[in-house]
Amino acid sequence: MKSTIEHVDTLHVCIFDTRQAMGVAAGKDVAAKIKGLLTEKESLRIVFAAAPSQNEMLDFLASAEGIDWSRIDVFHMDEYVGLPADATERFAYFLNTKLFAKVSPRTVNLIDDSEGADAACQRYKQLLEQGPIDIVCLGIGENGHLAFNDPPVADFNDPEIIKRVQLDDICRQQQVNDGCFATFDDVPEEALTLTIPTLLSGDHLFCVVPGKTKHQAVQAMLNGPITTACPASILRQHPDCTLYVDTDSYGQ
C-alpha cells in the first residue's frame, strides 16, 4: 500500500509501508518507462546506482518480462579509485552481479581506473558524450549525496561530466553501515563520480531511498533549502523525478 505526496516543488514522492513494496513499485515504474521509450526510440542509455538500497528495484528489473535489453546501453554513476579490478567491493562488480550479467544489455560501460583515474574519466566522458541519458536510477546518501557528490565537492553547475573526488567521512562510514566494507579504514578515500549536472541531464529519474539511516537526509532533501549542503535537494527542480521511500526513511 502506498500514499502519495503529489509534489515537493517538481519532485513526485511515493511513500510505502515496506521496503519491499517500495522497491517493487520502483522496479515496475522503471520497467514501464523502459518499455514505453523503446516504442519511441531505437535504443536507450540508462545509468544505474550501485548500492544495497537499490536491491529490490534491481531484483525486479532482473526478472522483468518484455524488456528488450539488446537495445539498451548501460552505465554506472561512480566507482572507487584504487581497488583491484576483481575486488567484490567495486560497484562494477555489484551491478554486473545484480543486473547486467542477468539481462545482457547491448553494451555494458563500466568505469575502469586500471590505467589511472584521469584516463578513466576521459574515456567515460567520451562515452557519455555520444548520446543523451534517457533514464537514471539513483539513490541518495546519508549525507544527502548524489552518486559520490558529497556536500564538500557537490556543484550544481559543475563543468565536468565525471570527476575525481575525495570522499567525506560520513560517506565512507555509510559504506561500512551498508555492509560493503568491514571497517572505516578499508573504504577507499577517493572515487570517480558522474557530476550532478550529468545525472540531472537524464530525461527520467527514479530515486529509491529506503531505511532509517536515510531519514535525516530525506527530510533535509524535501523540507530544507535547495543547497549543496544536501545535494539531493536539487532533485526538487528536475522536471521528471520520482522519489520512492519507505516509512523508515520518510518517517511516520
Side-chain angles (χ1 to χ4, degrees), residues 8-225:
V8 178
D9 296 327
T10 60
L11 179 67
H12 190 66
V13 183
C14 298
I15 308 160
F16 295 84
D17 292 335
T18 68
R19 174 175 178 148
Q20 181 66 24
M22 174 211 66
V24 169
K28 287 181 178 179
D29 287 351
V30 174
K33 180 58 69 175
I34 292 172
K35 293 175 188 177
L37 289 175
L38 283 175
T39 67
E40 305 168 5
K41 305 182 67 171
E42 188 62 32
S43 62
L44 300 180
R45 290 156 61 87
I46 305 178
V47 175
F48 288 95
S53 63
Q54 308 299 298
N55 281 343
E56 292 80 9
M57 185 269 291
L58 293 174
D59 288 343
F60 184 91
L61 289 180
S63 60
E65 297 181 354
I67 297 177
D68 186 357
W69 288 96
S70 69
R71 295 164 56 195
I72 299 173
D73 304 316
V74 297
F75 302 82
H76 64 142
M77 59 182 59
D78 46 14
E79 186 59 273
Y80 298 110
V81 169
L83 288 180
D86 60 351
T88 57
E89 296 88 354
R90 289 181 70 89
F91 289 155
Y93 177 89
F94 176 91
L95 283 171
N96 273 327
T97 302
K98 292 293 294 183
L99 182 64
F100 299 162
K102 296 179 180 180
V103 299
S104 300
R106 181 171 71 173
T107 65
V108 176
N109 302 284
L110 301 175
I111 301 171
D112 176 10
D113 70 332
S114 59
E115 297 182 1
D118 291 343
C121 285
Q122 183 61 28
R123 172 182 170 273
Y124 222 63
K125 174 178 179 289
Q126 292 172 349
L127 287 171
L128 289 166
E129 287 178 330
Q130 291 176 8
I133 298 171
D134 297 289
I135 293 172
V136 179
C137 296
L138 70 163
I140 73 171
E142 292 176 20
N143 61 2
H145 72 207
L146 296 178
F148 273 140
N149 295 281
D150 292 329
V153 299
D155 184 350
F156 293 159
N157 299 298
D158 205 310
E160 302 296 332
I161 290 175
I162 179 173
K163 66 181 181 181
R164 185 174 186 165
V165 295
Q166 291 285 129
L167 302 181
D168 76 9
D169 287 351
I170 295 174
C171 175
R172 292 178 67 201
Q173 183 60 44
Q174 179 186 326
Q175 311 313 310
V176 180
N177 298 345
D178 284 349
C180 301
F181 293 87
T183 71
F184 178 87
D185 289 338
D186 292 332
V187 183
E189 296 181 3
E190 293 186 315
L192 305 179
T193 183
L194 302 193
T195 62
I196 290 175
T198 302
L199 297 172
L200 294 184
S201 74
D203 290 334
H204 310 283
L205 272 55
F206 299 86
C207 186
V208 181
V209 188
K212 292 181 179 179
T213 60
K214 302 291 180 68
H215 173 68
Q216 185 174 351
V218 168
Q219 289 303 308
M221 171 190 182
L222 297 178
N223 300 316

